[in-house]
Amino acid sequence: MNLIKKRKEEDNMNFPSVDYTWFGNGTVIALIAIIHVVISHGVAIGTSVLVVSIEYRAMKKKNDKLDQVAKTMLKWVLIITTTIGAMTGVGIWFSTTVIQPDSISSLLRIFFWAWVVEWGAFISEVIILIIYYYTWDKWKEGELKRKHIMLGVALSVASWVTMVIITGVLAAKLTPGRWIETFSFWNAFLNPTYFPSLGFRMFLAIMLAISLVSFFIRWRIKDNTLRTEVFRVFAFWGAISLPMTFIAGLWYLWAIPTEAYNMIVWSTGMSEIIFKSLNILGFSILIIFLVWLAKSPRTVPWILSIAVMFSSIGFIGEFEVVRETVRKPYIIYNYMYANGMLEKNEEKLKKEGFLANATWAKEKEVNDNNMVEAGRDVFVGQCITCHTIDGWRDTRALSSKMEGWDKEAIMSFVPNMHFAQVAMPPFMGTEKEIEALATYILTELEEEEEVSTK
């Protein structure tokens, strides 16, 4: 705690950000994160619950075929979580460290021991998962079977514990609460959206698992009676999880800042009518699917199993995109802007200059001979986290947003951009640095135009 208090006054300008040019830094993080969340929530957490429940039902009904369905599901949990799940988890660390180094640096100072515990929980989860799978056919009867089911319960708890810890870190970025004043670990961890976010993720994980696995059950299991047994388990958990996901989601929306709430539709890039229509459609598909599972599990249509799978992936993807975007212009709300600049440093940097305080910058001051080079350092420090010179996203590529702009227009816009665009952090630097930035951007845009016309 003393380390956090000691470091809280330090300037977070020690690291430049890596540029993924045309593709975009935000897109890199989003793709890796969404894949990881689908696996960690839908496979590792949600499917583990379903596997244990099916195994328990198989034991009660003395149904060996149903027991083998559970084992097959567990095999894929083991394969996917220890390969793609583990790699994308590491991928999030690598990508965020090079793209948002100041943010990760701050979060590590706050949550270092929480991440240590989470790592221990993940290792325990993997060990239990391996033991659970490889003892399946050995612990088949009587008391051994009951112990094996308890091992599955332990797996579900261990996977849930990783969510319990990570949710505290993720939720604190949007609602750090009293941490801004106290710099206390517990104020950051048990922040205002911690419990609603945890509840939402927990029940959504089970819904995601049901949606993902149902398609493969419908596809692979030809025995109607066996498929019905599996779907009855899914219907039970769905009847609990869907309403609880909805309730926790409303709680979460109530708990986030008003400014963030007002940015939800904007963050998706949709119009309000399309946003509402798609979400109502997706939620309706989930309801229809669960009702069908409960009423007539033998006759679940192919098209419905596919639709519910894509609807659930869409919901989790939308949640992650919205959660990340509504923090703008911050990355840690009311503390650090999306480009890694600390809110409290605004006046200081306008007076002393950004380059003079950036330890990594090659150019420490702007002169007539280094306008482009100094401008690039400013761009890397304050723009590159979100923007590219060119790229596939028109809203992020300056070649699209600033087409036809001259130097005076750019220099007039930069000091006022946070008033024009709510998601933009304020520029922190001198007039000379604004001029250098404008010079660099125009130079890059001209080169881009020359390449495109050849």
Side-chain angles (χ1 to χ4, degrees):
M1 194 63 63
N2 290 334
L3 176 63
I4 295 172
K5 290 182 178 179
K6 180 180 178 182
R7 295 289 300 272
K8 70 177 182 174
E9 295 300 328
E10 291 186 7
D11 295 337
N12 281 39
M13 297 172 57
N14 297 318
F15 315 102
S17 177
V18 169
D19 178 17
Y20 285 96
T21 57
W22 185 88
F23 201 58
N25 289 352
T27 307
V28 171
I29 295 176
L31 284 177
I32 298 172
I34 290 172
I35 294 171
H36 181 72
V37 169
V38 169
I39 293 171
S40 65
H41 287 37
V43 179
I45 298 171
T47 306
S48 295
V49 172
L50 299 180
V51 166
V52 178
S53 300
I54 293 171
E55 184 186 15
Y56 178 76
R57 186 177 181 88
M59 182 188 71
K60 286 294 185 180
K61 289 183 168 288
K62 302 185 185 307
N63 189 331
D64 288 336
K65 289 184 178 180
L66 186 60
D67 189 75
Q68 287 303 303
V69 170
K71 182 185 177 184
T72 301
M73 288 170 59
L74 184 66
K75 179 181 74 172
W76 287 104
V77 172
L78 175 62
I79 292 171
I80 294 171
T81 56
T82 56
T83 53
I84 303 173
M87 287 188 292
T88 51
V90 174
I92 290 175
W93 274 104
F94 278 132
S95 60
T96 53
T97 298
V98 299
I99 291 172
Q100 299 172 340
D102 292 312
S103 167
I104 293 300
S105 150
S106 291
L107 291 173
L108 276 171
R109 290 201 293 272
I110 303 167
F111 295 111
F112 176 79
W113 288 110
W115 260 313
V116 170
V117 174
E118 190 273 337
W119 181 80
F122 174 71
I123 295 299
S124 300
E125 177 189 349
V126 172
I127 292 172
I128 296 171
L129 175 58
I130 292 171
I131 296 172
Y132 185 42
Y133 179 74
Y134 284 102
T135 56
W136 195 287
D137 292 327
K138 296 178 181 179
W139 297 7
K140 294 184 65 172
E141 304 293 338
E143 192 61 31
L144 279 178
K145 188 60 172 176
R146 295 183 183 278
K147 288 182 179 179
H148 190 262
I149 291 173
M150 291 308 298
L151 196 61
V153 173
L155 170 64
S156 298
V157 171
S159 61
W160 176 74
V161 168
T162 63
M163 176 185 284
V164 167
I165 297 170
I166 290 301
T167 297
V169 179
L170 296 176
K173 295 167 74 177
L174 176 58
T175 53
R178 292 188 62 235
W179 175 83
I180 299 293
E181 304 165 7
T182 65
F183 289 90
S184 161
F185 166 82
W186 289 111
N187 284 147
F189 189 81
L190 299 176
N191 59 81
T193 57
Y194 174 71
F195 288 108
S197 184
L198 179 60
F200 181 78
R201 286 178 177 276
M202 180 171 64
F203 292 109
L204 183 61
I206 297 175
M207 280 306 306
L208 182 60
I210 293 170
S211 302
L212 292 174
V213 178
S214 290
F215 168 74
F216 295 98
I217 296 296
R218 180 66 180 81
W219 173 33
R220 299 292 296 175
I221 297 179
K222 307 302 180 183
D223 185 331
N224 282 335
T225 302
L226 182 60
R227 192 167 65 220
T228 297
E229 288 293 325
V230 176
F231 280 161
R232 290 201 186 282
V233 174
F234 290 4
F236 168 79
W237 278 110
I240 297 171
S241 299
L242 186 60
M244 291 305 298
T245 301
F246 182 72
I247 292 169
L250 291 178
W251 184 14
Y252 180 80
L253 291 175
W254 177 79
I256 66 175
T258 302
E259 296 83 358
Y261 179 85
N262 292 336
M263 291 177 66
I264 289 175
V265 177
W266 172 86
S267 70
T268 64
M270 306 178 199
S271 67
E272 187 168 356
I273 185 68
I274 293 176
F275 173 80
K276 289 181 177 179
S277 299
L278 287 178
N279 279 275
I280 291 171
L281 175 62
F283 195 72
S284 299
I285 289 172
L286 290 174
I287 293 174
I288 293 169
F289 178 72
L290 290 178
V291 171
W292 209 308
L293 282 185
K295 293 290 187 179
S296 184
R298 286 175 174 266
T299 62
V300 174
W302 276 94
I303 190 67
L304 185 57
S305 66
I306 295 172
V308 78
M309 179 173 65
F310 282 105
S311 294
S312 293
I313 294 173
F315 273 125
I316 196 70
E318 178 185 81
F319 175 70
E320 289 301 307
V321 169
V322 168
R323 181 185 61 78
E324 285 290 320
T325 308
V326 297
R327 289 200 309 268
K328 301 291 180 68
Y330 298 99
I331 195 163
I332 301 176
Y333 220 74
N334 292 328
Y335 176 72
M336 179 183 289
Y337 287 112
N339 54 13
M341 310 293 291
L342 295 181
E343 183 183 59
K344 68 183 181 65
N345 285 340
E346 183 174 353
E347 293 305 317
K348 173 186 175 182
L349 297 181
K350 285 182 177 179
K351 181 179 179 181
E352 298 178 6
F354 166 77
L355 295 174
N357 286 278
T359 57
W360 53 268
K362 295 179 181 179
E363 308 295 333
K364 292 300 179 182
E365 60 180 351
V366 182
N367 57 56
D368 293 339
N369 297 320
N370 72 346
M371 278 284 179
V372 175
E373 292 79 6
R376 170 161 176 76
D377 282 349
V378 175
F379 183 81
V380 169
Q382 298 203 39
C383 310
I384 212 171
T385 301
C386 297
H387 290 286
T388 58
I389 294 298
D390 63 342
W392 68 283
R393 296 182 65 183
D394 289 345
T395 56
R396 299 295 180 91
L398 298 187
S399 58
S400 298
K401 291 185 72 67
M402 291 188 166
E403 184 178 1
W405 289 38
D406 58 20
K407 187 173 181 178
E408 288 70 24
I410 297 175
M411 290 183 65
S412 297
F413 174 73
V414 169
N416 302 295
M417 58 189 178
H418 56 298
F419 298 119
Q421 299 287 343
V422 67
M424 297 280 281
F427 180 80
M428 298 188 186
T430 63
E431 287 289 334
K432 269 293 191 182
E433 288 172 340
I434 294 174
E435 183 182 359
L437 176 61
T439 303
Y440 168 74
I441 290 173
L442 282 176
T443 300
E444 289 293 315
L445 292 180
E446 288 169 4
E447 290 180 1
E448 178 67 23
E449 186 176 353
E450 289 177 6
V451 169
S452 64
T453 54
K454 287 183 179 179

